[in-house]
Amino acid sequence: MNGGGLLVAGTTSDAGKSVVTAGICRWLVRQGVKVAPFKAQNMSLNSFVTREGAEIGRAQAMQAQACRVEPTALMNPVLLKPGGERSSQVVLMGRPVGEMSARGYHGGRQERLLGTVLDCLERLRGTYDAVICEGAGSPAEINLRRTDIVNMGIARNAGLPVLVVGDIDRGGVFASFFGTVALLSPEDQALVAGFLVNKFRGDVSLLEPGLDMLHGLTGRRTYGVLPFRHGLGIDEEDGLRVSLRGTVRESVVAAPAGEDVLRVAVCAVPLMSNFTDVDALAAEPGVVVRFVDRPEELADADLVVVPGTRGTVRALEWLRERGLADALRRRAAEGRPVLGICGGFQVLGEHIEDDVESRRGRVDGLGVLPVRVRFAREKTLTRPSGEALGEPVEGYEIHHGVAEVLGGEPFLDGCRVGQTWGTHWHGSLESDAFRRAFLREVARAAGRRFVPAPGTSFAALREEQLDRLGDLIEQHADTDALWRLIESGAPTGLPFIPPGAPA
């Protein structure tokens, strides 16, 4: 017998589907329920490598952590990694299968993947008591409904009840809830059980008359009103929008352990990927992290991070156009700390041979590290571990570029020259002892009296944050009604709201 299930949809992108899904997962696992997350199709530049070497969205890896289970490719069978405005790399069951335009994907390829995603969901439901699925965008994207495999397409085929999340902080939540239902076909509407209000500020009693009217208009109840909480946007999907998500300590303002703060500037390169790498820096008391796009913003930075990107050659051009390339070269020559991660490591090298990603052939790098990079068609997907600065460190690698290191001191799989560091390893800064050792080196080179706080545990902070998400659901949602949905499906007899989906 298959376990229960629920699809968490949203009125818009960024309505809070990822964190609500994680919160429901954490609430369930604390009740002793064996639960897993699932997202049929994810579009994100923030990804993760599972232990079996599969690439999935970081949001699903975070949700697996909320479930206290190991993430697998089954939890995110289709991952789309944008390479520009019109094309994406398609990652299927954790492995890249090629580049495709949006028109080509929605023109037939997506529909053919429905069997794969349904099989993954079926396997999860055969193993777990409950599977909490996350939708994408809005379920009422009527232009895409025919080929949909992540919202109502998966709900219809798997018989999942649907909970629609709306971000009231943006305004217009009642119209969004009503309009979402009213643009669905009768068959789809029958699965939409009700609503969940997210990011509410103020007195809930003032909202209740509107919720009652919404129930009267749609025949559907609201399952909870979640209050606005700072710092819950962990491991978000949207790598195209530059916005600091490293806010794991936002709710607790901690003073620096030493006399000085440490200022970190992250170059906001195009198609930035895995910007979650700097979350661990932002978790440190006294470390101030900001994203920058002008050379003068590097002047007062104690550390500059050049992050990963899905467009290494494009990032190089952007750095040159903005004057950041010259500023980075000056920093390196002056012995001021620079850290390049993955694509950021590649741009710091001598040159890049790219006939895969940009197909631009040989392109000169910034020349501050003795490294030559050749792009291979096969993607490296590994979970390495080792030692650096005398401390144990773990990470994960996601890249086509193969680095030939010609000098410098070894640093993880890359190298170090003076105070310029480069590595392909994502996530290394989550290793607490290594992060503290690295920040001590940076502070010494920058002449700052900064001292890393000895007790900061990034893993513990993440667990604390996931528990806060679980608390939100437990304290502000009707959990008994939610469990009935998960166990028994959508209520019968839900009314049709006209006009429904267009023919």
Side-chain angles (χ1 to χ4, degrees), residues 111-126:
E111 218 171 354
R112 294 196 296 273
L113 294 174
L114 180 60
T116 299
V117 301
L118 287 172
D119 177 65
C120 291
L121 178 57
E122 189 79 3
R123 289 167 66 184
L124 289 173
R125 293 181 78 181

Side-chain angles (χ1 to χ4, degrees), residues 20-166:
V20 167
T21 300
I24 293 173
C25 287
R26 178 49 61 102
W27 159 65
L28 284 171
V29 81
R30 293 195 309 206
Q31 309 310 306
V33 177
K34 189 180 178 186
V35 60
F38 179 76
K39 185 161 185 171
Q41 172 196 294
N42 197 346
M43 178 173 279
S44 179
L45 289 172
N46 282 335
S47 58
F48 183 75
V49 180
T50 68
R51 296 230 174 258
E52 73 266 32
E55 185 179 8
I56 65 171
R58 269 199 71 106
Q60 279 60 65
M62 177 266 291
Q63 290 160 358
Q65 186 178 348
C67 297
R68 297 179 180 144
V69 299
E70 191 67 33
T72 73
L74 292 174
M75 297 171 183
N76 179 207
V78 181
L79 173 64
L80 305 178
K81 302 193 73 175
E85 295 298 323
R86 297 191 177 185
S87 68
S88 294
Q89 183 181 66
V90 180
V91 179
L92 179 62
M93 295 304 296
R95 292 286 169 181
V97 294
E99 296 279 334
M100 188 165 289
S101 69
R103 180 180 292 274
Y105 184 69
H106 290 288
R109 178 62 182 268
Q110 184 181 34
E111 218 171 354
R112 294 196 296 273
L113 294 174
L114 180 60
T116 299
V117 301
L118 287 172
D119 177 65
C120 291
L121 178 57
E122 189 79 3
R123 289 167 66 184
L124 289 173
R125 293 181 78 181
T127 304
Y128 292 89
D129 301 328
V131 178
I132 308 303
C133 308
E134 181 189 343
S138 162
E141 289 167 347
I142 54 179
N143 56 317
L144 303 177
R145 176 61 185 91
R146 182 181 62 82
T147 58
D148 171 47
I149 63 169
V150 65
N151 290 307
M152 301 313 300
I154 197 85
R156 279 270 291 280
N157 279 279
L160 295 172
V162 179
L163 184 69
V164 180
V165 177

Side-chain angles (χ1 to χ4, degrees), residues 275-477:
F275 54 82
T276 48
D277 282 331
V278 300
D279 283 3
L281 295 177
E284 283 285 348
V287 176
V288 180
V289 180
R290 68 185 190 274
F291 287 92
V292 304
D293 60 4
R294 296 180 298 180
E296 55 268 28
E297 293 177 294
L298 305 190
D300 68 342
D302 303 307
L303 169 67
V304 174
V305 177
V306 189
T309 172
R310 251 282 281 154
T312 304
V313 171
R314 182 175 168 188
L316 260 172
E317 292 171 343
W318 182 87
L319 290 168
R320 288 185 168 117
E321 289 165 2
R322 298 255 171 173
L324 286 159
D326 290 338
L328 286 167
R329 276 193 286 260
R330 283 195 300 272
R331 282 188 70 92
E334 294 165 1
R336 302 180 66 200
V338 176
L339 171 64
I341 302 174
C342 200
F345 166 42
Q346 295 167 8
V347 306
L348 296 175
E350 296 175 2
H351 67 251
I352 295 166
E353 292 277 354
D354 182 11
D355 296 317
V356 176
E357 191 175 77
S358 69
R359 298 182 177 86
R360 294 279 294 277
R362 179 172 168 141
V363 178
D364 288 338
L366 299 189
V368 296
L369 287 177
V371 174
R372 296 171 185 171
V373 176
R374 176 185 54 81
F375 272 61
R377 299 203 175 276
E378 187 73 19
K379 182 184 277 192
T380 297
L381 296 167
T382 62
R383 290 274 293 270
S385 61
E387 185 178 290
L389 301 178
E391 301 292 350
V393 57
E394 296 180 350
Y396 57 99
E397 294 187 51
I398 305 169
H399 54 91
H400 285 279
V402 178
E404 180 187 5
V405 179
L406 303 171
E409 299 175 46
F411 175 63
L412 304 179
D413 74 332
C415 67
R416 168 190 182 181
V417 174
Q419 291 301 323
T420 302
W421 317 64
T423 177
H424 273 133
W425 290 23
H426 294 290
S428 63
L429 294 167
E430 295 180 21
S431 297
D432 296 326
F434 165 72
R435 181 181 65 254
R436 287 192 278 271
F438 177 70
L439 289 175
R440 282 193 290 269
E441 284 267 340
V442 168
R444 181 185 59 77
R448 297 287 185 190
R449 289 170 296 183
F450 169 84
V451 178
T456 304
S457 165
F458 186 74
L461 287 168
R462 273 295 169 85
E463 277 297 301
E464 176 188 304
Q465 194 171 29
L466 290 169
D467 277 331
R468 289 175 64 206
L469 292 176
D471 293 342
L472 273 182
I473 298 299
E474 191 168 329
Q475 296 166 13
H476 301 283

